[in-house]
Amino acid sequence: MSGSSSNNQRILVGVSGGIAAYKAIVLVRRMIDAGCEVRVVMTEAATRFVTPLTFQAVSGHPVRTTLLDAEAESGMDHIALARWAQRVVIAPASADLMARLAAGMADDLLTTLCLATEAPVQLAPAMNRQMWAHPATQANYARLLERGVTMLGPDAGSQACGETGTGRMMEPEAIADALLTGEGAGDMAGLEAVVTAGGTREPIDPVRFLANRSSGRMGFALAAEVARRGARVTLVAGPSTLATPAGVRRVDVETAAQMQAAIESIESMDLFIGAAAVADYRVARPAEQKLKKNGASLSLELLPNPDIIATVAQRGPRPFVIGFAAETERLAEHAAAKRQAKGMDMICANEVGAGRGFDTPDNALLLLWQDGERVLPRAAKTQLATQILDTYLQIKQDSSHASR
Ligand code: PMT
């Protein structure tokens, strides 16, 4: 585990009402073992699942449960507690808690602290799969993400209610790992990064679209690794069934135009990684009604889409731009030309087609940048993500030495 700089963090752990509350005990224990100072705040409902005394014993500090507690407020009052925290982590975050936070309510100590703190707020949602999938919860989730709250999970799997699906709280060890190595803690701490992933869909009519075989694995692996190394990451993803990596803000899009708009709305970025397979063309006039088969041939007029990565590379101030080249022939030659044409700092070239590159768990890459190249032999995409970012950091380091 890297990121030991985070080990003296002051962490406020919020516990809301859900069966996963007992797992927060392990989380608190892990954070303390790693050298963090932890204060626990429980909602009323959480105290029905685990007693405050348990968290007091594990954290070594009295546990706060109510806002209007004259005795506690005469010590460290709630505003002081909100200022004390360097991070607020709520595990488990129930559907009710997410709804109250999304509505900006301050009807108990925990929600009040979330409004009063300047520290980053992270939630580990935990609830029944239907509750998680409910449009109200999804709208609350999206609203919280928009406001800069980061999400740790939820995971998919068997649930306490006996059902199977998405909604399980991330395991406490994984949450602790994300907190100790995530945003603000690794060798990319302080950076703002944007990663694109997956393919776009360009509508033909209300039910048909032009698409490609990208699964999003490469981009999601990069986003996970950038977050693990401490950067603040926004993942702009085309349709994908993959789970959002821990600590990553995710914006879901469908078309290239939506992807471009999502990226344009991000004001500042230090690093941009374009792993998405963005459609080069869109249908000029998507039909409003489902196209009928009439036996005759059908032509679709296609218009070129804007080149997202080339636009990002022209920004001022400009982020470091890493792109990909998906090629079926003359890999190095085409990738080098693509890097120049789109103004990328580094390009990751891959041979695609015939079962390679797209929708596979592994890949092989050729990295090209102005002063060098590196061959990455076939490996899991998670491992390639680490190697790409190691190379990026090395290039940055070399260029800062050269400019001294
Ligand atoms: O998602 P996976 O299943 O894991 O597969 C990974 C991958 C094969 C999709 C990935 O490794 C990859 O190659 N991504 C880029 C695919 C692609 O669109 O390549 P390209 O050579 O057509 O585009 C070059 C670069 O321009 C890419 O960084 C692309 O994101 C970008 N681009 C392309 C078109 C466009 N309109 N805007 C862009 O920004």
Side-chain angles (χ1 to χ4, degrees):
M1 187 188 290
S2 64
S4 56
S5 61
S6 66
N7 292 4
N8 49 14
Q9 297 175 73
R10 297 189 305 268
I11 301 191
L12 190 102
V13 174
V15 185
S16 69
I19 184 64
Y22 78 92
K23 293 188 180 177
I25 300 166
V26 180
L27 172 63
V28 172
R29 178 85 252 166
R30 289 266 165 158
M31 300 312 291
I32 285 173
D33 286 349
C36 300
E37 199 181 333
V38 179
R39 300 291 171 97
V40 179
V41 169
M42 301 175 77
T43 63
E44 220 285 300
T47 63
R48 309 287 177 95
F49 290 89
V50 183
T51 67
L53 203 55
T54 310
F55 282 107
Q56 178 173 322
V58 178
S59 69
H61 292 283
V63 171
R64 299 270 320 252
T65 55
T66 52
L67 180 58
L68 307 171
D69 178 339
E71 199 184 321
E73 288 287 305
S74 67
M76 193 194 284
D77 69 29
H78 65 277
I79 297 296
L81 191 56
R83 288 200 192 119
W84 170 87
Q86 291 175 310
R87 260 174 209 270
V88 176
V89 184
I90 304 182
S94 64
D96 173 70
L97 185 97
M98 286 177 65
R100 289 188 291 127
L101 286 181
M105 291 175 76
D107 57 347
D108 65 5
L109 178 61
L110 188 52
T111 48
T112 304
L113 288 169
C114 288
L115 286 187
T117 190
E118 286 182 6
V121 176
Q122 294 172 284
L123 305 186
M127 66 200 74
N128 161 271
R129 68 177 177 88
Q130 303 266 32
M131 293 172 75
W132 173 250
H134 194 285
T137 306
Q138 288 303 306
N140 293 333
Y141 170 72
R143 184 179 282 189
L144 290 167
L145 284 177
E146 262 170 39
R147 292 198 196 129
V149 172
T150 51
M151 299 289 169
L152 302 158
D155 282 348
S158 62
Q159 301 199 291
C161 54
E163 296 186 8
T164 301
T166 302
R168 256 177 87 97
M169 189 171 95
M170 224 169 126
E171 289 306 325
E173 293 82 359
I175 297 175
D177 208 29
L179 297 177
L180 292 166
T181 61
E183 192 173 316
D187 54 8
M188 291 176 71
L191 292 186
E192 294 272 350
V194 176
V195 180
T196 68
T200 61
R201 287 180 180 172
E202 306 299 326
I204 296 171
D205 69 12
V207 293
R208 303 181 179 98
F209 49 80
L210 298 176
N212 60 64
R213 296 181 193 278
S214 171
S215 63
R217 281 197 190 96
M218 188 68 243
F220 276 61
L222 280 159
E225 181 61 11
V226 176
R228 203 188 64 76
R229 287 168 173 236
R232 194 177 155 89
V233 191
T234 304
L235 171 66
V236 183
S240 170
T241 53
L242 298 175
T244 309
V248 168
R249 288 162 202 78
R250 175 171 173 175
V251 180
D252 286 313
V253 296
E254 200 158 309
T255 63
Q258 288 167 1
M259 186 169 276
Q260 190 183 33
I263 289 159
E264 272 173 3
S265 72
I266 302 171
E267 275 174 25
S268 82
M269 55 179 95
D270 306 294
L271 172 65
F272 178 85
I273 308 181
V278 185
D280 287 320
Y281 292 91
R282 68 182 182 280
V283 177
R285 285 169 299 281
E288 281 180 17
Q289 306 302 333
K290 182 172 172 248
L291 291 172
K292 293 280 179 218
K293 183 171 75 174
N294 61 12
S297 66
L298 175 70
S299 298
L300 291 172
E301 187 191 348
L302 300 181
L303 297 176
N305 273 331
D307 198 299
I308 296 173
I309 205 163
T311 314
V312 170
Q314 283 164 11
R315 274 184 177 219
R318 181 184 181 283
F320 190 98
V321 176
I322 302 177
F324 277 73
E327 305 295 340
T328 54
E329 53 168 353
R330 290 153 65 192
L331 183 69
E333 182 190 332
H334 284 167
K338 209 168 257 182
R339 188 183 82 77
Q340 288 280 352
K342 301 196 185 211
M344 301 175 197
D345 296 289
M346 179 164 93
I347 196 159
C348 312
N350 49 171
E351 303 235 22
V352 297
R356 292 168 307 179
F358 283 80
D359 199 14
T360 54
D362 55 15
N363 202 2
L365 294 171
L366 168 66
L367 310 188
L368 301 174
W369 62 98
Q370 171 138 28
D371 305 312
E373 63 176 66
R374 183 175 173 195
V375 174
L376 302 183
R378 182 156 299 283
K381 285 179 178 172
T382 46
Q383 207 176 325
L384 293 173
T386 305
Q387 293 169 322
I388 291 169
L389 294 169
D390 286 344
T391 310
Y392 154 72
L393 289 172
Q394 190 61 53
I395 295 171
K396 293 287 284 181
Q397 202 178 0
D398 292 349
S399 73
S400 79
H401 284 157
S403 64
R404 268 185 210 153

